[in-house]
Amino acid sequence: MIARPVLEAHHAYVRGDNAWQQRARLHQSLWRQAHGLLAGMHGDKPLGSRLPPTADAEPPTLSNYLSPQAQHCVEGAVAEAPKTGALLGRPRLWVDLLSSQPLCFNLFGPLAEDHTLAGRVLSMLWPDIRTVNDIRFEWSPGRGDEAYTGNRSAFDVFVDYDGPLGRSFLGIEVKYHEDLSGRAAKDENGRYTALANKHGIFREDLVPALQKPPLQQIWLDHLLALQLRSNPKNDGWKAGTFALLYPVGNTACADGAARYRRCLTDVETFDARTLDDVVQAARLTSPASWPDDVYARYLDPTLVNATIADPAGA
């Protein structure tokens, strides 16, 4: 845990943060300061991991986004949200530096704008990806549709690609500071359990563990991917995988992924990877600066380590 005076000096102390959350929040506050951005407010106190909102009559600040491609993608997604039903939280999307939604656009926006580059980057981690056809954000085949999961679940990032079996997909859930906690969703009429039984890849004795945090959100997104693969209305998908992405330092997500994997009798449709792996693949593949910018923004330990080592000088 980081010493409270260090966190308070950078407006990054929030009661209840675990060790990784403290580090991520301090990192975002230090990144903001390094880029000359003002701190936003939480109640009557400054919060270093937040930007101040713009006035109602002004367009939202895009300072949360690292590249023109990310900015273009987030503006497009917001404009399309009334038609797609995408749950893009505002003003969080514009001002919350810790939120994983801006992270999705910062990391995958440049790939969504260049499908050739996306294929080169993503195939380093998922070799079945041969040609990327499309990348969408906060996407669901049918929110609330009983043909799928009947809830509002969506993939943070959805990759439509051609693979060895034909048209395939990769549905991704992205985490940054989150710890997979939260209130459990109700399993109305046992629907989720029935879907789990239908697909036959879950250990029956561990289904109760899947029905509550920290595993339930992973389970519901995985069920959405399984339903998309198997549904007659699935638009011709020949294969599909659900993947959880999280930073190396987020041990809560790493533990959740490991526990979830133990609940499966067949892991073909589930994967867990680190954000560090994806960013490194982009750094190895793209000559542009944006992968380094994403690394510096979310993953580089230098800022926090220097501050911890020398609180007075940082």
Side-chain angles (χ1 to χ4, degrees):
M1 302 294 280
I2 300 172
R4 180 168 175 172
V6 174
L7 297 170
E8 290 180 336
H10 298 280
H11 306 299
Y13 175 75
V14 172
R15 186 187 301 274
D17 277 354
N18 62 32
W20 166 252
Q21 290 168 335
Q22 286 185 345
R23 186 179 186 95
R25 192 181 302 278
L26 178 59
H27 185 129
Q28 293 307 308
S29 183
L30 294 169
W31 179 88
R32 175 190 53 73
Q33 293 173 59
H35 287 77
L37 300 170
L38 297 176
M41 302 293 290
H42 180 65
D44 60 352
K45 295 182 179 180
L47 183 61
S49 58
R50 182 174 293 173
L51 299 172
T54 53
D56 291 341
E58 298 177 3
T61 176
L62 293 176
S63 299
N64 212 356
Y65 298 93
L66 302 174
S67 66
Q69 299 96 320
Q71 294 175 356
H72 180 258
C73 283
V74 71
E75 289 178 317
V78 168
E80 289 291 312
K83 290 188 287 185
T84 64
L87 302 178
L88 296 169
R90 286 157 282 176
R92 181 182 67 177
L93 199 64
W94 313 121
V95 303
D96 190 342
L97 298 172
L98 270 179
S99 171
S100 56
Q101 278 196 343
L103 167 56
C104 290
F105 290 100
N106 281 325
L107 179 53
F108 288 94
L111 303 183
E113 298 274 287
D114 185 342
H115 293 166
T116 300
L117 175 63
R120 293 202 301 266
V121 171
L122 299 178
S123 64
M124 295 182 73
L125 301 174
W126 294 281
D128 281 354
I129 296 178
R130 295 179 177 174
T131 303
V132 170
N133 303 313
D134 195 15
I135 295 179
R136 306 166 205 164
F137 297 91
E138 189 59 28
W139 184 82
S140 170
R143 297 173 192 273
D145 190 337
E146 293 292 330
Y148 299 103
T149 53
N151 58 26
R152 304 286 289 174
S153 292
F155 303 112
D156 289 335
V157 180
F158 185 82
V159 182
D160 172 342
Y161 70 92
D162 291 330
L165 299 178
R167 190 174 180 222
S168 307
F169 70 83
L170 178 67
I172 304 174
E173 176 72 19
V174 178
K175 299 298 184 187
Y176 181 53
H177 76 293
E178 299 92 340
D179 60 4
L180 299 175
S181 64
R183 183 180 301 175
K186 293 182 179 179
D187 187 1
E188 299 290 349
N189 303 316
R191 174 169 176 75
Y192 304 146
T193 302
L195 289 177
N197 292 335
K198 166 190 167 184
H199 292 291
I201 65 168
F202 301 96
R203 286 180 49 178
E204 291 185 13
D205 60 317
L206 294 180
V207 168
L210 295 171
Q211 295 173 327
K212 55 189 177 183
L215 303 184
Q216 191 190 56
Q217 185 182 6
I218 304 174
W219 186 45
L220 295 182
D221 285 340
H222 191 189
L223 287 176
L224 180 61
L226 293 170
Q227 284 293 96
L228 181 56
R229 279 172 54 115
S230 66
N231 195 287
K233 300 193 303 183
N234 74 4
D235 210 16
W237 303 109
K238 302 302 182 184
T241 301
F242 168 66
L244 176 69
L245 290 186
Y246 56 88
V248 163
N250 192 329
T251 55
C253 284
D255 178 66
R259 289 177 59 186
Y260 186 79
R261 196 182 297 274
R262 290 194 290 270
C263 295
L264 303 176
T265 60
D266 182 341
V267 298
E268 178 188 359
T269 58
F270 173 71
D271 198 10
R273 300 278 182 158
T274 67
L275 288 166
D276 309 64
D277 288 338
V278 181
V279 172
Q280 181 63 4
R283 295 175 86 188
L284 290 170
T285 307
S286 174
S289 64
W290 68 265
D292 293 332
D293 295 337
V294 173
Y295 177 76
R297 166 72 187 271
Y298 295 104
L299 303 171
D300 186 355
T302 304
L303 280 175
V304 171
N305 287 349
T307 301
I308 295 172
D310 183 15

